[in-house]
RNA sequence: GGCCCCGUCAUCUAACGGUUAGGAUACGGCCCUUUCAAGGCCGCGAUACGGGUUCGAAUCCCGUCGGGGUCACCA
């Protein structure tokens, strides 16, 4: 039952690595691991007009980041393998040979129709509301003499698959079972383009066959062209692998996930401070579930329960809000050293990218409210974090565990690494642009603020920060003082918080003071008093 | 529009043909609290609709409706 599967992910290098690629790669990786098989990365670079030079490198990095490395793939980025080359542009002779074979067998033919003719044809068909839209087969029955004449005249041509005109074409899908398509509605698809490059259809079949792929796990958008693929395999006389059409990831409006409505670049998720294991977990939740309502799981746990046949094929909406929650869960489970290291890495990743991370004009911001807020915040936070890179790396270089004491204070406040920007700066600078409003919220008075600062200063000045139990002692002292003044502890510590952190929202105060040290804490209180004109 | 796929809370999903249709996110409330979080408790909230089959249907069948995908010398 579990013969080793050979599966592949086959992205085309046309831009940033896509979240859908990672989604397929996860299920590929699981299928290979579950069966003791192999996971292959094949680069489908047959479209020269859309080729982006550094895309392939990014795809590989993104898969590595997610821990979804292939077992076989282009040797420049990894393991290589016995079925190479793994880049379609390096396999051109194979496709030519395959196309020739089909023509020789009478299963394909040369077509000399111009793209102008094709376009006109399409327009007419659409205008006539014709049931059939597609190539009309004009060149299907060219005589050998006509073909020779065309070739002699140097006319460019494509090679088209010669499909049956009647009956039904049966295909099989792992999830949906047998599916029938009317042969008359299929068109003679192009196999070889006039530039000598293959189309997806030919290249996919030739390579999957040559690479001994057992399971074609791909997106549902391919379902309509599956009849062509089955007929192609049949024309060659090859064994047909199992086809499994995975659901499409969706935008909030249920349309297929797209750049304009949802972040689709894996690099975006990395930049925004999502943990690879959290994103991978989240992708695993899309269409699959573990027993006992378990939502947070390691790859090993996922694998333990994985069964390709149990995938839920209703198209899941990619809910960034839930990923945000899940990422927070993962961050909270990180130990302090790990979290600190990841924050430092994130800082380095973002350093020097201020221009790229500038605020977006309203018109370029996403429409959806959560995403819009997230993107605005994330850009601001990214700039702050990037700016901290130098200071952080310097401190860690001097003292490797310098950040450790801070981690417990911020860990449970983070949902992404980038959100550390909201809490970290106060530990590295005491120079704040104070405003009077911050010190004096509604219902409070300037005198009250000054008094609170002075009282707090007195308590702190009398306390040995290094003493055991310093935290509890300070807690108690602040509490007692607030009570003595007839105040609640919250409002009492308000001005102190602003003095110490420059913000009205911060990590817990007393713990923060202990991290800062007595001298720095007192200095900041004095600065604040000076600002309020009460030094 | 033709063809194809899909249809359980707003979202991700669970439920041998027999459950008060479960969990999670989000949202609301309460508790905890030093701000913000985190955490705890409670609440809101779904089997698209109509027919069958069956003692019994979210589950099987048909239809309707809805959503999506696809109709390139792109993948």
């Amino acid at each position: 039952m579990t013969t080793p599967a050979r599966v592949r992910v086959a992205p085309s290098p046309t831009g940033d690595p896509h979240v859908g690629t990672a989604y397929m790669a996860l299920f590929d990786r699981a299928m290979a691991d579950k069966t003791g098989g192999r996971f292959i990365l094949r680069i489908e670079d047959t479209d020269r007009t859309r080729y982006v030079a550094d895309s392939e490198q990014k795809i590989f990095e993104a898969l590595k980041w997610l821990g979804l490395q292939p077992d076989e793939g282009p040797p420049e980025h990894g393991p290589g393998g016995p079925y190479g080359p793994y880049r379609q542009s390096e396999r051109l002779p194979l496709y030519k040979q395959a196309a020739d074979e089909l023509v020789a067998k009478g299963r394909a033919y040369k077509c000399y129709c111009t793209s102008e003719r094709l376009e006109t044809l399409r327009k007419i068909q659409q205008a006539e509301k014709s049931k059939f839209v597609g190539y009309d087969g004009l060149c299907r029955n060219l005589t050998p003499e006509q073909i020779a004449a065309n070739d002699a005249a140097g006319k460019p041509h494509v090679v088209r698959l010669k499909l049956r005109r009647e009956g039904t074409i049966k295909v099989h899908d792992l999830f949906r079972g047998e599916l029938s398509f009317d042969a008359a509605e299929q068109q003679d698809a192009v196999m070889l383009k006039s530039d000598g490059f293959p189309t997806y259809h030919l290249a996919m079949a030739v390579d999957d066959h040559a690479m001994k792929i057992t399971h074609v796990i791909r997106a549902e958008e391919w379902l309509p062209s599956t009849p062509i693929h089955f007929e192609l395999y049949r024309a060659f006389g090859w064994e047909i692998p199992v086809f499994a059409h995975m659901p499409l990831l969706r935008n909030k409006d249920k349309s297929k996930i797209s750049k304009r409505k949802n972040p689709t670049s894996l690099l975006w998720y990395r930049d925004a401070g999502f943990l690879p294991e959290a994103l991978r977990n989240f992708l695993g939740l899309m269409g699959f579930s573990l027993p006992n309502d378990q939502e947070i799981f390691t790859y090993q746990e996922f694998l333990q329960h994985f069964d390709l046949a149990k995938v839920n094929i209703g198209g899941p909406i990619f809910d960034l809000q839930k990923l945000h929650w899940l990422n927070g869960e993962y961050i909270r489970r990180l130990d302090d050293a790990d979290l600190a290291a990841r924050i430092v890495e994130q800082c380095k990743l973002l350093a020097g990218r201020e221009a790229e991370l500038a605020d977006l004009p309203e018109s370029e911001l996403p429409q959806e409210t959560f995403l819009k807020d997230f993107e605005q915040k994330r850009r601001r936070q990214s700039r702050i974090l990037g700016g901290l890179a130098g200071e952080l790396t310097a401190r860690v270089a001097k003292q490797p565990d310098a950040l450790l004491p801070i981690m417990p204070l911020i860990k449970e406040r983070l949902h992404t690494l980038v959100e550390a920007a909201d809490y970290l700066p106060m530990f590295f600078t005491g120079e704040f642009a104070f405003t009077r409003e911050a010190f004096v919220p509604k219902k409070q008075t300037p005198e009250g603020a000054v008094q609170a600062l002075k009282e707090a200063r007195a308590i702190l000045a009398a306390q040995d920060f290094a003493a055991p139990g310093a935290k509890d002692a300070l807690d108690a002292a602040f509490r007692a003082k607030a009570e003595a003044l007839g105040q609640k502890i919250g409002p009492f510590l308000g001005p102190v918080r602003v003095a110490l952190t420059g913000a009205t929202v911060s990590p817990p105060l007393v713990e923060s003071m202990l991290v800062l040290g007595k001298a720095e804490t007192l200095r900041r209180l004095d600065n604040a008093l000076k600002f309020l004109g009460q030094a």
Side-chain angles (χ1 to χ4, degrees):
Chain A
M1 186 68 201
T2 53
T3 54
R6 288 182 56 82
V7 294
R8 48 62 171 184
V9 68
S12 44
T14 54
D16 280 359
H18 199 273
V19 66
T21 301
Y23 182 45
M24 290 306 98
L26 172 61
F27 284 78
D28 279 326
R29 182 71 268 175
M31 189 64 191
D33 289 339
K34 188 77 183 184
T35 62
R38 307 268 283 176
F39 168 44
I40 292 119
L41 169 66
R42 187 172 69 219
I43 300 296
E44 307 230 332
D45 57 347
T46 58
D47 184 350
R48 291 175 304 166
T49 61
R50 294 204 304 158
Y51 182 75
V52 176
D54 64 347
S55 181
E56 182 183 317
Q57 176 65 28
K58 285 178 172 175
I59 288 167
F60 199 82
E61 276 172 19
L63 289 179
K64 188 176 172 193
W65 176 67
L66 281 164
L68 297 171
Q69 288 105 321
D71 301 309
E72 295 175 26
E76 290 78 0
H77 307 298
Y83 294 89
Y86 292 90
R87 208 176 273 120
Q88 291 185 328
S89 60
E90 296 170 8
R91 301 171 65 84
L92 263 23
L94 261 34
Y95 310 125
K96 172 80 167 78
Q97 194 185 343
D100 287 347
E101 182 188 330
L102 290 175
V103 172
K105 278 181 169 174
R107 303 299 296 265
Y109 58 94
K110 290 181 174 182
C111 168
Y112 300 87
C113 292
T114 62
S115 37
E116 290 74 39
R117 175 174 185 273
L118 263 24
E119 199 170 321
T120 309
L121 183 65
R122 199 157 37 233
K123 276 183 185 152
I124 293 172
Q125 288 168 337
Q126 279 161 1
E128 289 176 343
K129 296 200 163 110
S130 163
K131 258 188 79 173
F132 177 81
V133 178
Y135 184 60
D136 60 358
L138 181 70
C139 296
R140 247 174 109 103
N141 299 309
L142 255 28
T143 63
E145 292 72 27
Q146 287 172 308
I147 293 169
N150 280 332
D151 287 343
K155 281 196 189 176
H157 69 269
V158 302
V159 174
R160 287 182 185 273
L161 184 64
K162 196 175 206 166
L163 249 24
R164 290 206 311 277
R165 297 284 72 194
E166 293 153 2
T168 67
I169 298 172
K170 287 191 162 78
V171 305
H172 190 272
D173 175 86
L174 177 68
F175 308 121
R176 290 159 262 254
E178 187 178 276
L179 265 21
S180 293
F181 294 81
D182 188 346
E185 281 161 3
Q186 303 298 321
Q187 70 163 331
D188 290 348
V190 173
M191 298 288 110
L192 216 52
K193 303 184 242 180
S194 56
D195 64 2
F197 278 66
T199 59
Y200 169 83
H201 309 300
L202 213 220
M204 179 233 42
V206 167
D207 290 344
D208 283 348
H209 176 70
M211 295 178 182
K212 297 193 163 60
I213 298 303
T214 60
H215 296 72
V216 176
I217 301 170
R218 58 170 16 171
E220 189 183 346
E221 57 187 324
W222 291 108
L223 209 46
S225 52
T226 305
I228 292 169
H229 302 148
F230 271 62
E231 285 300 281
L232 190 47
Y233 272 93
R234 288 167 183 143
F236 281 120
W238 292 338
E239 191 185 340
I240 302 176
V242 174
F243 279 74
H245 290 95
M246 294 286 291
L248 251 16
L249 262 20
R250 317 288 190 102
N251 298 315
K252 261 216 156 74
D253 65 4
K254 293 187 188 286
S255 59
K256 135 173 123 173
I257 198 164
S258 64
K259 209 173 170 178
R260 284 282 24 127
K261 297 176 183 173
N262 213 84
T264 56
S265 168
L266 293 171
L267 304 177
W268 183 91
Y269 291 93
R270 189 190 56 184
D271 289 350
F274 289 97
L275 308 188
E277 55 270 50
L279 179 56
R280 199 177 54 200
N281 187 152
F282 184 69
L283 255 12
L285 246 20
M286 304 280 92
F288 199 76
S289 62
L290 269 57
N292 304 319
D293 298 315
Q294 185 179 357
E295 292 201 294
I296 301 176
F297 41 77
T298 62
Y299 176 71
Q300 283 310 317
E301 291 173 309
F302 177 68
L303 198 59
Q304 197 180 328
H305 297 284
F306 178 76
D307 179 356
L308 186 58
K310 286 186 181 158
V311 169
N312 188 327
I313 58 174
I317 287 166
F318 191 97
D319 184 0
L320 190 66
Q321 216 166 146
K322 184 151 181 174
L323 173 60
H324 190 243
W325 161 78
L326 186 64
N327 204 58
E329 291 286 328
Y330 268 85
I331 287 178
R332 269 169 253 136
R333 285 161 161 78
L334 255 26
D335 68 48
D336 293 344
D338 193 355
L339 178 57
R342 295 200 200 213
I343 288 174
V344 171
E345 281 312 301
Q346 195 71 20
C347 288
K348 289 187 197 165
L349 181 69
L350 296 170
R353 292 169 61 182
E354 290 74 22
E356 178 196 342
L357 293 162
D359 287 331
L360 243 29
E362 182 73 23
S363 61
E364 287 178 43
L365 249 14
Q367 296 296 302
E368 198 268 312
T369 54
F370 179 82
L371 225 192
K372 178 178 171 180
D373 286 358
F374 184 90
E375 184 63 8
Q376 280 177 312
K377 247 192 281 179
R378 169 242 157 189
R379 285 173 171 266
R380 179 177 54 72
Q381 292 162 337
S382 296
R383 296 193 301 265
I384 293 171
L385 217 51
L388 245 35
E391 178 71 29
L392 279 187
T393 45
R395 290 228 191 177
V396 172
K398 220 185 299 172
Q399 192 195 340
D401 54 1
L403 301 181
L404 256 39
I406 302 173
M407 295 303 113
L409 308 188
I410 68 172
K411 190 186 282 181
E412 69 193 23
R413 278 156 246 273
L414 302 182
H415 299 89
T416 66
L417 294 175
V418 167
E419 286 168 11
D422 287 348
Y423 307 107
L424 238 31
M426 60 156 289
F427 294 105
F428 303 98
T429 174
E431 310 311 315
F432 307 118
F434 290 134
T435 63
R436 295 193 83 85
E437 295 73 46
F439 282 104
V440 188
K442 292 175 298 242
K443 292 185 175 176
Q444 303 295 325
T445 64
E447 294 72 28
V450 170
Q451 185 185 26
L453 288 173
K454 285 184 171 167
E455 297 287 8
R457 193 193 189 292
I459 290 169
L460 288 160
Q463 175 67 42
D464 175 6
F465 276 34
K471 179 197 173 297
D472 291 340
L474 284 171
D475 274 339
F478 285 139
R479 230 168 265 283
K481 180 56 68 182
E483 197 176 339
L485 294 172
Q487 281 194 343
K488 290 202 165 183
I489 184 77
F492 173 71
L493 286 177
V496 180
R497 187 182 307 282
V498 174
L500 231 54
T501 70
T504 53
V505 174
S506 80
L509 266 189
V510 174
E511 284 99 318
S512 298
M513 291 170 179
L514 295 176
V515 170
L516 287 173
K518 185 167 180 175
E520 179 63 12
T521 299
L522 293 178
R523 194 183 70 78
R524 291 187 187 189
L525 289 177
D526 290 337
N527 271 353
L529 284 165
K530 205 179 297 171
F531 172 79
L532 292 171
Q534 296 291 328

